[in-house]
Structure formats: structure tokens, C-alpha cells
Amino acid sequence: MNITTLETNDHEARTAAAMLLVEGFRDFAPQTWPDLQSAQTEVEEALDPAKICRVAYDEAGLLVGWIGSLELYPGHVWELHPLVVRRSHQRQGVGRALVQDLERQVVARGGSTIFLGTDDEAGLTSLAGVDLYPDVSAHMSTIRNVRDHPYAFYQRCGFVIVGLVPDANGFGKPDILMAKRVAQASGPK
């Protein structure tokens, strides 16, 4: 596998990355990128030089995954958005390799933490369909993965759940917030 920066002038790769978004999110977040045009807009925005946009190719040269990131808190925190892996290549280390590559990219830019939100729009966790108020933290501490939600993948990559946004996508459809420190703490300044 080869991981590299998605080049602005590589129209074929940009289109392949957009198609991956539509296909990859169809079953669990279909409104995120419902069509190729919305996904192409996301890819174009990810190509901003201030952002990180990396793609993975298999040995045959097929684009099999891509990951993006933008700086949220300058010099400290980057948001992982998005991550998608071609279905035929899932559970083969592509996603983990992209996350590890992103960690190196963030550290090289002086970042220390990666943050992400992973929505539950399709009832994949024990939080789905539940009124999380008033004790959001109690629900967060007892979350269960009932249908292969991606938060478990991120936990295996070292991310921890740091919060929830109840009803982020409508009642009972929360966003699960996760973060990971990727550089040594330097202490207070």
C-alpha cells in the first residue's frame, strides 16, 4: 500500500475519492454525501493547502481510502474528517494505516491532538433513539456497539470518547466525539 497526498491536478483520484465517500457512507449516514456532486465538493474543500488530504493506493494502483484533517485549535488540535475505505479493502489495515499516517502529518505540523466526531444516524450504538438528557455522561460511559459502529475502530486506534452531542442529527441520533493525543505533552506555558 502507498499513502500519499491527494494532488489538486489528479482529477481521476479526486473523482475516485468522491465516489468512495458516497459508497462508504451510504448505509450508515446516507445524507452526509448523498450524491457524487456533494462528495466532490467535500474533496475539493479538503484540497485546501491549510488542510491535510491523504489517499491510499493498493498494489494495483487502485485508490482504496482517503483521510482528511483540518486544524481546529492552531498549533494544537486537528479534526479528522473524513475517513473512508473502499468496502472491498476494509478490515485489511487500510484505515489504521491512514490514521497512523495522519498522526505523523499532524505531529509534523506541530499538532498534539486529533479530534473527530462519528455520528450514529443508523442506530448502530446503544445511544440511538435514546433521550440522552439530562445525564449525558452516564449514557456516554455505558455506550455499547450494537451494529458495528466505527467508534470501535477508532478506539482500537487509541482514540477515547470525550463527549457526545445529543440529537446532533435529529432526536436519538447523536454525534460521538473522540480524541487522541499524538505528541508528548509539553506542560503548561
Side-chain angles (χ1 to χ4, degrees), residues 34-65:
D35 54 45
L36 188 57
Q37 183 178 349
S38 62
Q40 286 175 318
T41 299
E42 181 71 25
V43 172
E44 296 307 316
E45 291 172 0
L47 292 171
D48 180 319
K51 298 179 179 181
I52 298 170
C53 185
R54 306 280 286 172
V55 289
Y57 294 93
D58 69 5
E59 295 75 22
L62 178 68
L63 194 147
V64 295

Side-chain angles (χ1 to χ4, degrees), residues 25 50 64 94 98 103 114 122 168 174 177 180 183 186:
F25 284 79
V64 295
V94 176
L98 283 165
E103 291 172 7
I114 298 176
L177 307 178
K180 178 181 181 180
S186 59

Side-chain angles (χ1 to χ4, degrees), residues 63-85:
L63 194 147
V64 295
W66 81 279
I67 193 167
S69 189
L70 63 144
E71 195 171 24
L72 286 182
Y73 297 88
H76 302 286
V77 180
W78 286 72
E79 179 183 10
L80 185 164
H81 175 82
L83 170 61
V84 63
V85 174

